[in-house]
Amino acid sequence: MKKETHETRLLAYLKQYRNITSLEAIRDLGNTRLSATVYTLRQKGYDISTTTVDVPTRWGTTTQVARYHLNEAITNQAKEKEERKNFWSEWLPKK
């Protein structure tokens, strides 16, 4: 059984809902550092874009927050890397 991480939870969420904000990440995933997780996934080859959206504040004004979108379920580079990792994990001794 694979261990769940912020990365795996975020990918599953994005595959289901297609986008996420920081507030949704905190509420739904328990991830308080969404931008760091997105950065890591981008480094692994996932195609995640950012748009800025206006949201209301409790004081009756608006502010802008980032909304992240998964453009493809998985890019070829990330898919190949994941396949290699899965292949070798079956052959390498467990820690």
Side-chain angles (χ1 to χ4, degrees), residues 40 43-45 74-88:
T40 302
Q43 293 299 313
K44 292 183 176 185
I74 188 169
T75 62
N76 288 337
Q77 178 185 5
K79 184 176 180 180
E80 290 170 5
K81 188 174 184 178
E82 190 68 25
E83 287 172 354
R84 282 193 304 273
K85 180 181 172 186
N86 290 338
F87 173 80
W88 287 110

Side-chain angles (χ1 to χ4, degrees), residues 12-43:
Y13 189 96
L14 287 172
K15 287 176 183 178
Q16 182 174 359
Y17 299 106
R18 306 304 294 172
N19 60 71
I20 192 168
T21 63
S22 291
L23 182 60
E24 293 164 340
I26 293 167
R27 183 188 63 216
D28 299 342
L29 305 176
N31 186 342
T32 59
R33 300 192 64 232
L34 178 60
S35 62
T37 307
V38 168
Y39 175 82
T40 302
L41 289 173
R42 285 175 174 158
Q43 293 299 313

